[in-house]
Amino acid sequence: MMPAMRADGAESVGRALDRFQIELPSWGFANTGTRFGKFVQPAAAVTIEEKFSDAGQVHALTGACPTVALHVLWDLPDGVSSAAEIAALAARYKVRPGSINPNVFQDQEYKFGSFGNPDADVRQRALRHVHDSVAIARRLGSRDITLWFADGSNYPGTANIRQRRQWFQENLKAAHATLGPDQRLLIEYKPFEPAFYHTDIADWGMALLLARAAGSQARVLVDTGHHYLSQNIEQIVAWLLADGMLGGFHFNDRRYADDDLTIGSIDPYQVFRIFHEIRFFEWETGGRADIAYMIDQSHNLKGKIEAMIQTVTVAQELFSKAALVNHDALATAQARTDLVGAESLLQDAFSTDVRPAIREWRVANGLPADPLQAFRESGYLERITAERSKRAGASVSSYA
Ligand code: RM4
Ligand code: MN
Ligand code: MN
């Protein structure tokens, strides 16, 4: 039997959705692929204007995505001088620039690393790029600069792990020093790929230590795909929250590695448990956790805009379910070591059908009750397919 929503359930869902916003990745609208090949989609965005246009569609239909993350190399090829164009596009398509992602992994110089490269010139070059990225962020009114490094090594003995750690500390400190008072550095970790022996920032503990060394405005960024299989991600979230060091998320789902699949497609309970830890923390502390929710997915087979609408819808559902957990009852059950009672509170919330309450919230906010259907009926996809297919295959702009 489907658990009935508590009388105040729909209201909790509405309140949860009022505050739930999730950032779209510009690269999620572009052609991407696997290391084996790319299946180019005629409707994929190639230009930055097309990316803004597509992101604007997702926000217009869901009301939950006011910002779009930008990758500096892919989206601002001229650095700070590209910022004026970006600002104009943001105004035109009604989505603001969100996190700024420096790219210190794609250029040939970075073959042996960026902040961890044994060549001081390359380390300096990478730092300059991060400084430029901070300047771009400031110019665009973006708060977060998100740092992901491909640095690492493939074979034992080939890299001085402690020395590289030192270089990372130095450059991160230097990057932090140029932040404006309201800006943040978010440090992402990943245990594997593209390096397969060691990664310089392999896990949340390393990211945490480096964030502390960098300065008071650095935080840890948790990409859900960047863990070993079966790792308890919500525990990491709970610990980072307790220490005030959780900066944000890159959401995606996975089965094997960093698969970048649609959120909740493989393990929706995992995402629910993460949201639950955040809500429980907020209930206990009476405060609001300052977290940037971001999507880091690239769909190479699904239609890109559809997949993004599906992603946002699922994220809203799982966030709403987490809002249904009765925290008073949970705290009591935990204190009494009522194991089945405590666990059932999570399970009941998770299995509640929140979709009717979400539809109500959408309609009350002037949004389509079913964003995916609205998108399919809008004609937007047909229009961009016709326009963009004229030059399809011309450019595969990014890897993500
Ligand atoms: C990494 C990581 C970063 C993303 C790059 C392209 O796996 O998730 O966030 O910017 O891919
Ligand atoms: Mn990521
Ligand atoms: Mn990733």
Side-chain angles (χ1 to χ4, degrees):
M1 204 184 71
M2 187 84 70
M5 208 179 304
R6 289 183 356 194
D8 61 352
E11 209 186 302
S12 306
V13 167
R15 271 200 311 273
L17 295 182
D18 281 343
R19 56 164 282 199
F20 183 71
Q21 301 188 326
I22 190 160
E23 182 163 300
L24 301 167
S26 71
W27 54 96
F29 299 103
N31 273 316
T32 50
T34 70
R35 64 198 168 103
F36 302 103
K38 291 169 173 92
F39 298 106
V40 174
Q41 297 189 15
V46 171
T47 65
I48 182 63
E49 171 152 15
E50 290 168 354
K51 293 176 191 173
F52 264 92
S53 173
D54 294 356
Q57 283 297 305
V58 177
H59 181 45
L61 295 169
T62 62
C65 313
T67 58
V68 55
L70 301 172
H71 239 288
V72 174
L73 210 62
W74 304 331
D75 298 328
L76 294 106
D78 300 323
V80 187
S81 17
S82 298
E85 185 200 352
I86 298 283
L89 292 174
R92 172 140 178 231
Y93 293 104
K94 301 187 172 54
V95 266
R96 296 193 311 275
S99 63
I100 299 299
N101 295 245
N103 184 317
V104 287
F105 51 85
Q106 201 174 299
D107 287 352
Q108 293 304 308
E109 294 73 11
Y110 300 129
K111 181 172 178 180
F112 298 118
S114 60
F115 279 18
N117 197 303
D119 183 336
D121 289 342
V122 180
R123 294 201 299 279
Q124 269 309 311
R125 182 192 162 106
L127 180 59
R128 265 203 309 280
H129 179 74
V130 175
H131 279 157
D132 288 349
S133 304
V134 173
I136 288 168
R138 193 173 303 133
R139 166 73 181 75
L140 293 174
S142 289
R143 181 190 189 200
D144 292 332
I145 293 89
T146 58
L147 295 174
W148 173 71
F149 298 93
D151 287 57
S153 65
N154 273 344
Y155 299 99
T158 59
N160 184 332
I161 292 172
R162 282 174 295 103
Q163 172 68 79
R164 290 170 71 101
R165 174 175 178 271
Q166 172 77 31
W167 287 329
F168 261 88
Q169 285 175 347
E170 286 166 13
N171 262 8
L172 286 169
K173 250 187 221 156
H176 189 284
T178 62
L179 290 178
D182 299 324
Q183 289 187 301
R184 307 190 302 175
L185 267 195
L186 304 187
I187 301 178
E188 187 170 353
Y189 58 90
K190 180 172 177 175
F192 53 81
E193 195 194 36
F196 290 110
Y197 168 63
H198 108 279
T199 296
D200 282 293
I201 313 180
D203 65 24
W204 71 278
M206 299 180 201
L208 175 64
L209 288 174
L210 286 173
R212 288 216 170 110
S216 61
Q217 290 159 240
R219 298 282 181 279
V220 176
L221 172 60
V222 176
D223 183 313
T224 48
H226 294 189
H227 301 89
Y228 293 118
L229 290 177
S230 90
Q231 196 160 356
N232 185 332
I233 302 174
E234 62 270 25
Q235 183 182 7
I236 296 171
V237 168
W239 276 58
L240 289 173
L241 281 169
D243 267 19
M245 289 302 283
L246 179 62
F249 288 95
H250 272 176
F251 280 113
N252 49 65
D253 212 338
R254 49 84 75 87
R255 175 85 178 137
Y256 299 103
D258 186 23
D259 306 342
D260 285 343
L261 300 177
T262 314
I263 190 172
S265 57
I266 304 294
D267 187 358
Y269 197 39
Q270 161 82 84
V271 187
F272 167 87
R273 295 192 307 264
I274 289 173
F275 286 147
H276 163 65
E277 283 304 329
I278 295 167
R279 307 269 328 179
F280 196 35
F281 167 84
E282 292 183 335
W283 173 81
E284 257 174 9
T285 56
R288 178 70 65 84
D290 187 8
I291 302 169
Y293 297 110
M294 299 174 275
I295 299 164
D296 185 5
Q297 291 173 183
S298 60
H299 302 99
N300 62 324
L301 301 178
K302 283 178 175 173
K304 285 156 199 306
I305 301 173
E306 286 200 352
M308 219 49 94
I309 293 171
Q310 182 187 36
T311 297
V312 177
T313 302
V314 171
Q316 287 179 314
E317 287 173 12
L318 294 167
F319 195 78
S320 299
K321 285 169 187 272
L324 295 180
V325 175
N326 182 334
H327 296 128
D328 290 294
L330 182 65
T332 306
Q334 288 180 349
R336 291 190 184 141
T337 56
D338 174 3
L339 308 187
V340 171
E343 187 188 17
S344 299
L345 285 163
L346 265 66
Q347 290 173 327
D348 285 348
F350 180 66
S351 50
T352 303
D353 187 0
V354 291
R355 290 170 300 180
I358 296 178
R359 277 196 291 273
E360 262 176 46
W361 175 84
R362 288 192 181 120
V363 172
N365 282 280
L367 296 162
D370 182 340
L372 183 60
Q373 193 197 339
F375 175 69
R376 288 185 170 178
E377 288 168 0
S378 70
Y380 181 85
L381 184 62
E382 290 74 10
R383 182 167 65 75
I384 60 166
T385 305
E387 281 169 17
R388 298 177 188 177
S389 57
K390 290 181 199 124
R391 44 89 178 120
S395 161
V396 175
S397 60
S398 57
Y399 140 94

